[in-house]
Structures are given as structure tokens and as C-alpha cells.
Amino acid sequence: MKYLVTGCAGFIGWKVTELLLADGHTVVGVDNLNDAYDVRMKKWRLSQLQSSSNFQYNCIDICDRAAVESVYDEKLDGVINLAAHAGVRKSVENPWEFVDVNITGTLNLLDHCQKYKIKKFILASTSSLYGASNALPFSEDANTDGPLSPYAASKKGAEAICFSYHHLFHIDITVFRFFTVYGPAGRPDMAAFRFVQWISEEKPVTVYGDGKQSSRDYTYLDDIAKGVIAGLKPLGYAVINLGSDSPIVLIDTIRIIEELIGKEAILSHQPVHPADPDATWANIQKAQQLLGWRPQVSFREGIESVVDWYNENREWAKHISTG
């Protein structure tokens, strides 16, 4: 099978591409290697893929409609759109970039899918859509009309345009709402990488609030990637949560990392950001029913892998900006 994977040098895109290649598929990878975070991380991930003869890399921005068309042909069996501008707080500072990539970029990809008769499309969405007023755990049929950030709003727009193209052109579309993905070579603006780097290098650890009132449904990268690939099956139009169903309180996350590294965190408490939800927690019954999917990696096992990766790559990883 031949798949187009956007964001192939991104965190989730890298692992999805790696697993597809390991299964013998051909992957046409797209990533513009932008500087939303330190490009060294993206280049490291990309380097892990380029030894495969079944991998074709293209440095393309999905906002460029003509460039996107250059990687399409009728032989594609599906498109997995993992390219995105992500980050709740960053979206408050520059919402235009988030709308451009997450909505217009998705539209460009969908429009070429209908033009080239591509039957399957997967969209990476986010648990941030659930906002602050829904009951926990979050189910896919919960109200998503109250996004707390431009990032969440842009993903709601992407979901909406996906449904339109499913309705109009009968494209089989699976939308995945991811819950706090973490793992080796993770995004440096996310908590797992930040905490491991900050504690390892004895830097102050920024904690919004007291660290006790906030919890996150951390989901290990490999589990997420396997769920995405399972979603390539025909489903019509489906919105599916991929989460651990086991939220971890923030301060407990820090304590586990302290134990694994053997150093005590220097905590720096900051006010809670208004764009951050207090908690995330996934109801994953739909993923189980439709995909036979459940997360396999415990939080402690996953964090051990993050710490091990960091130690193996510490010479350069300690210099990665976590801003």
C-alpha cells in the first residue's frame, strides 16, 4: 500500500511513518521543517526514516496548494494528515498561523483527495476541543462549541471541513482526537520533554498553579501511532478518542521523573494560563469497539523510555529550546 503522511518529521508523523515502513508499505512523506520548535529535533526524526527505500521525502508546506498537488497521484491508498501547528499557548500569540495550517492546509489536502479519487483520509485532531465544561471522561459526542484557544478552534474547523468533504465526495474519513502524546524524541514544548530536560540539567521547572489541581491523560507515542494505522480501515466518517484513560496529576508526573533521573526538581510556580483546561481524560470505548485498540504502555514505562532517549542524546538534546 502507498500512503501520503504529512508532518512526517513531526512527533506523531515520524512514528506512524516508521511503523508503516516496517510493515512494508510505501510512504510519501511531507514536512516543511518549520521552526515552530527546534528544527534539530525534526531533522533527527527524519534521519531515522531516510534509510528506507520505500520512503520518499518532500519538503512541502501543506498551505501551498500547487505544491501539495505535486505529491498526489491515483495510486495513493490514503492520506494521513499529521501536519499541524500545535500548542494551546502559542496559538494565543499567533492565531493566524494556526488557522492557515490547520484549516486551509487540511482543505488543500482534502480537495486533492477528491480530485484524485483518494478513498481514505485521516485527520489529527485534539482533546483541546472538549474545553472546560464537559463531564469527565470526555466522550466523542460531547459538546465542542467552547474551544478555549485558537488552536482548539482551528482543529474544530478542520473537523468541520472533513465532514463536508465526506458528505459531498464520499471520502472515508477518520478523525482522531489525541490526548497529551509523549515519548522519546517528543515535542520540546510539551511537559514530558521539558520536565526531563529541566530536572536533568537542574533548571527551574515551570508549574502552572500548584501542580495538584491539574491532570493530563498522557498517551504513549507508539500506542497513538498504532491507533492511527488501525484507523486506515473503512469507517465512513468517525471521530475517535485516542487516550490512556488513566489521567496523571501534574505533580505526580514530576515526582516520577525525579525518581527516574535521581534529582529533585526546582519548582517555579506560575499562574494558570486561561487557555489551559484543568484536566483531560479520554473515554476510549469507541476506539476499542471500532478498532480493537487499547493503550499498552503504562505511564511509568513510557517515561522511562523518554529518560533513556534523553540520556542517549543528551549531548545535543540538553541544548534544545523548550520555549
Side-chain angles (χ1 to χ4, degrees):
M1 305 288 272
K2 183 179 180 181
Y3 297 105
L4 173 64
V5 178
T6 71
C8 64
F11 184 36
I12 300 172
W14 157 58
K15 185 56 66 172
V16 168
T17 300
E18 184 178 80
L19 295 184
L20 287 171
L21 293 171
D23 285 341
H25 301 293
T26 296
V27 176
V28 179
V30 166
D31 201 299
N32 68 348
L33 298 179
N34 66 40
D35 61 356
Y37 57 82
D38 198 310
V39 178
R40 285 177 289 181
M41 188 68 80
K42 300 180 182 184
K43 289 182 176 179
W44 183 90
R45 299 188 196 113
L46 190 60
S47 71
Q48 310 302 300
L49 304 172
Q50 290 179 313
S51 62
S52 173
S53 60
N54 287 339
F55 178 63
Q56 306 163 17
Y57 169 64
N58 302 268
C59 189
I60 285 174
D61 187 337
I62 63 170
C63 293
D64 185 335
R65 190 163 179 247
V68 167
E69 185 168 15
S70 71
V71 296
Y72 271 74
D73 63 55
E74 291 84 354
K75 295 180 181 179
L76 285 174
D77 294 291
V79 174
I80 304 173
N81 182 23
L82 301 170
H85 264 311
V88 167
R89 299 184 195 104
K90 286 184 178 179
S91 74
V92 177
E93 299 166 7
N94 190 352
W96 295 273
E97 282 190 350
F98 286 74
V99 170
D100 288 345
V101 176
N102 298 345
I103 298 180
T104 304
T106 299
L107 174 59
N108 289 340
L109 294 163
L110 284 166
D111 202 52
H112 290 313
C113 281
Q114 66 87 15
K115 180 177 180 179
Y116 285 89
K117 310 301 181 187
I118 311 302
K119 296 180 179 179
K120 184 70 192 191
F121 188 87
I122 287 179
L123 174 72
S125 191
T126 175
S127 62
S128 296
L129 275 174
Y130 292 115
S133 59
N134 284 301
L136 295 168
F138 297 141
S139 297
E140 292 86 349
D141 58 358
N143 189 312
T144 58
D145 291 338
L148 301 182
S149 67
Y151 168 55
S154 70
K155 282 298 188 180
K156 184 174 176 66
E159 289 192 11
I161 199 68
C162 278
F163 184 82
S164 296
Y165 268 70
H166 164 71
H167 172 73
L168 293 170
F169 304 110
H170 310 293
I171 301 172
D172 191 291
I173 297 180
T174 306
V175 174
F176 284 113
R177 292 176 181 163
F178 299 141
F179 283 70
T180 315
V181 187
Y182 75 104
R187 275 176 40 204
D189 59 333
M190 295 289 285
F193 183 97
R194 282 179 158 187
F195 292 165
V196 169
Q197 187 203 65
W198 290 344
I199 295 172
S200 295
E201 309 309 328
E202 300 178 6
K203 298 177 181 179
V205 175
T206 301
V207 176
Y208 295 96
D210 62 9
K212 298 177 181 178
Q213 84 287 2
S214 177
S215 63
R216 291 292 179 267
D217 193 322
Y218 290 97
T219 322
Y220 191 64
L221 175 63
D222 292 52
D223 286 330
I224 287 286
K226 290 173 183 176
V228 169
I229 292 170
L232 287 166
K233 67 189 291 187
L235 292 169
Y237 181 86
V239 177
I240 302 174
N241 289 337
L242 291 185
S244 71
D245 190 25
S246 300
I248 306 292
V249 175
L250 180 63
I251 197 66
D252 292 340
T253 303
I254 293 171
R255 298 305 179 218
I256 291 171
I257 296 172
E258 286 178 323
E259 180 186 343
L260 292 171
I261 292 174
K263 292 183 179 180
E264 187 173 336
I266 305 167
L267 300 183
S268 173
H269 293 276
Q270 303 294 328
V272 175
H273 196 288
D276 283 335
D278 289 338
T280 62
W281 180 3
N283 181 328
I284 58 172
Q285 290 182 0
K286 194 171 183 180
Q288 292 177 263
Q289 293 167 357
L290 294 182
L291 307 177
W293 179 90
R294 276 199 64 85
Q296 301 298 310
V297 180
S298 71
F299 183 68
R300 187 179 183 88
E301 290 173 323
I303 286 294
E304 285 178 350
S305 296
V306 177
V307 172
D308 288 345
W309 180 90
Y310 183 82
N311 287 333
E312 291 168 6
N313 295 275
R314 188 174 179 181
E315 185 176 347
W316 63 274
K318 67 182 179 182
H319 299 297
I320 295 289
S321 171
T322 56

